[in-house]
Amino acid sequence: MLADRLYFNFCLYVVAGLCLPNGTVSLKWPKVYYSYVVISDVLIILNLLTLAVNLISPNVSLANRCYSGFTTLATALSVTKLLASHIHKEKLSKYFKLWDDVIEKDADLELKKELLKNEKVIKRLSTCLFAFMVGPMIPWGGLPLFCKIISYLVPVPFSFIAIPAKFPFDPLVSPGFEFATIFQGMMAFSVNAKIMAFDCLIYGLISYQIVQCRYLKDSFKNITGLAQRELITGKPTGQYLREHKHMKNIQKIQLNEWVEKHCRLIEICTTLNQLYSPVFFVQFIFSILIICSNAFVVTAGNVTKLELVFSFAYVIGTTVQLYTLCWMGEELSKQSTTLTDDGFWHKWYLCPLEVQSSFQIIFERTKVPMKISIFGTIHLSIETFKTIVGTAYSYFMVLNRIKRTV
């Protein structure tokens, strides 16, 4: 079961308070968990409002507006992903059933080994990205309250909240200060946890398609390897296949099974695109603006050193997160177009004509790559990543020019 192999990713879903797909993970206390999901979602939306009001308020410097802006965008991206997890929970459970059919029918020992290796890699990748993007949010959100407590022992000349926001009270005066800092600390963790947990599951889903492509590539090589029987028998390949009708039938059966597996994998890829295309669109747009505004905050120098470090780390994290997604899309396309490369060099052209025809159809079909895309137009690839970073840099230069003229 694919859900079992991605159990760690679903644990991240639980920690982040995202809505689990139906029938994937059994919960000990479902009512407690769904209460946590609802409370977390409501608080994130409230956090988005407090940040957005500050973003559009007058008399805010460009650097502070960018600092407030990227946190607003990150929160809005988190809201997009939590909505997607609610809307697609039924469709995503059906998607997992498609995968389960594939795994059950292809209960090959080599495939199971590859799936197990992939499970370990995705677990490590998810752990690293989640720790890097979410871990620092806890001390960052709690830092203002920590400084406030220290001020009772040692005089501290300033009070601050982690992220500039507008509250219906003065956020620098107790007890509103304590409330605001605890609220922002919880939200800093929750926002990034939802973003990363959502993405880590996508990484897992795409990676399993890549593993399946590699498996199909090896299977096709073995099928065409039947044409090398002359090395064993000493007879020309064509003569051997004509004399041994049984082997020809085996080759036909293997080809039919291979085509069925390939069609199922194409269906899985198409379903994934339908599920996540709108989310990818929002993520790409917001990533451009987040990287741009963060880079401006880092170079503007009109913020505190703590804010500078936080912004710089967020630029790196967002870039790595985006690169990972684009690289996986690129790898899937590459693997899907090289399914028949190794088998092509075997002597398939010496097989009976009806078998040759099947090979030729397969060769033509595999020229069309499987792609993870946004509405079938923008594909996840390294070129797309370069375009996003280039666009972010262009917007960054525009902000720099505005700063010079103000």
Side-chain angles (χ1 to χ4, degrees):
M1 300 288 283
L2 185 62
D4 296 334
R5 297 185 180 279
L6 291 173
Y7 180 75
F8 179 77
N9 298 71
F10 282 121
C11 288
L12 296 183
Y13 247 58
V14 172
V15 170
L18 288 170
C19 188
L20 290 164
N22 290 343
T24 49
V25 177
S26 57
L27 300 166
K28 280 189 176 180
W29 300 289
K31 290 184 179 178
V32 174
Y33 174 68
Y34 286 115
S35 298
Y36 167 62
V37 169
V38 172
I39 292 169
S40 172
D41 291 354
V42 170
L43 290 178
I44 280 187
I45 292 170
L46 290 176
N47 186 58
L48 176 61
L49 293 175
T50 62
L51 295 172
V53 170
N54 184 76
L55 176 65
I56 62 176
S57 296
N59 303 322
V60 178
S61 68
L62 185 58
N64 281 324
R65 201 180 293 278
C66 284
Y67 185 77
S68 182
F70 91 80
T71 52
T72 304
L73 291 167
T75 308
L77 181 58
S78 178
V79 170
T80 302
K81 294 188 174 183
L82 69 87
L83 287 174
S85 72
H86 283 283
I87 293 168
H88 294 318
K89 65 179 182 178
E90 292 286 350
K91 292 179 180 177
L92 196 54
S93 63
K94 291 179 182 177
Y95 174 83
F96 274 93
K97 286 178 183 176
L98 282 174
W99 260 117
D100 292 341
D101 289 341
V102 170
I103 294 173
E104 285 175 12
K105 289 180 180 177
D106 300 336
D108 183 273
L109 185 60
E110 289 302 317
L111 178 60
K112 286 182 178 179
K113 285 181 181 178
E114 289 300 317
L115 290 174
L116 187 60
K117 287 180 186 177
N118 185 71
E119 181 184 348
K120 293 177 181 177
V121 171
I122 288 299
K123 186 175 179 178
R124 291 194 195 103
L125 175 66
S126 300
T127 302
C128 292
L129 289 175
F130 198 85
F132 182 79
M133 290 294 288
V134 181
M137 297 299 110
I138 301 172
W140 172 248
L143 186 62
L145 189 58
F146 175 76
C147 292
K148 182 74 172 180
I149 294 170
I150 292 295
S151 69
Y152 294 124
L153 304 174
V154 180
V156 177
F158 61 89
S159 292
F160 70 99
I161 59 173
I163 304 166
K166 292 291 181 182
F167 293 94
F169 51 81
D170 189 346
L172 297 179
V173 178
S174 297
F177 178 80
E178 286 74 14
F179 172 81
T181 52
I182 292 171
F183 173 74
Q184 286 202 341
M186 291 169 57
M187 289 309 97
F189 170 82
S190 189
V191 163
N192 287 277
K194 287 182 189 295
I195 291 173
M196 288 313 305
F198 192 91
D199 282 5
C200 286
L201 181 61
I202 294 175
Y203 299 153
L205 297 178
I206 298 176
S207 70
Y208 275 106
Q209 290 188 48
I210 294 171
V211 170
Q212 186 71 9
C213 280
R214 289 172 182 162
Y215 170 73
L216 286 178
K217 188 173 182 179
D218 291 338
S219 299
F220 191 80
K221 183 179 178 181
N222 292 334
I223 294 170
T224 54
L226 188 62
Q228 302 294 330
R229 288 283 178 164
E230 63 180 288
L231 298 176
I232 302 171
T233 63
K235 294 181 180 181
T237 300
Q239 181 184 345
Y240 177 80
L241 288 173
R242 282 192 296 272
E243 291 177 0
H244 294 76
K245 192 179 283 187
H246 175 63
M247 296 305 297
K248 184 175 73 173
N249 290 335
I250 288 176
Q251 196 172 38
K252 281 184 181 180
I253 292 169
Q254 289 177 340
L255 277 173
N256 290 338
E257 289 176 352
W258 192 93
V259 170
E260 285 179 8
K261 293 173 185 177
H262 188 225
C263 289
R264 286 203 305 271
L265 191 58
I266 293 171
E267 183 184 1
I268 285 171
C269 188
T270 303
T271 305
L272 187 70
N273 278 326
Q274 291 170 350
L275 283 171
Y276 290 120
S277 276
V279 179
F280 290 147
F281 177 73
V282 174
Q283 181 159 351
F284 280 16
I285 297 296
F286 282 12
S287 294
I288 290 171
L289 298 175
I290 287 171
I291 293 172
C292 164
S293 55
N294 262 296
F296 182 76
V297 168
V298 170
T299 57
N302 295 334
V303 292
T304 65
K305 290 181 180 179
L306 283 172
E307 291 172 337
L308 194 67
V309 171
F310 177 72
S311 297
F312 182 71
Y314 211 87
V315 168
I316 295 174
T318 304
T319 306
V320 171
Q321 175 190 358
L322 193 62
Y323 177 81
T324 304
L325 189 62
C326 290
W327 178 85
M328 284 191 165
E330 175 96 6
E331 185 67 14
L332 176 62
S333 297
K334 177 184 173 183
Q335 291 295 332
S336 65
T337 52
T338 58
L339 290 176
T340 58
D341 281 9
D342 292 341
F344 181 82
W345 301 106
H346 287 183
K347 298 184 179 181
W348 60 271
Y349 47 83
L350 296 177
C351 293
L353 289 176
E354 52 191 312
V355 178
Q356 285 186 43
S357 300
S358 299
F359 278 128
Q360 288 171 348
I361 293 170
I362 291 171
F363 292 145
E364 286 300 315
R365 180 60 187 85
T366 52
K367 288 180 182 178
V368 181
M370 297 179 207
K371 292 182 179 180
I372 307 298
S373 63
I374 300 172
F375 305 119
T377 53
I378 303 172
H379 307 297
L380 298 189
S381 64
I382 300 302
E383 282 302 315
T384 302
F385 173 75
K386 291 177 182 177
T387 302
I388 290 172
V389 173
T391 305
Y393 178 75
S394 300
Y395 289 168
F396 163 73
M397 294 303 294
V398 170
L399 286 176
N400 262 335
R401 288 179 186 173
I402 293 173
K403 179 192 170 187
R404 289 173 193 157
T405 57
V406 174

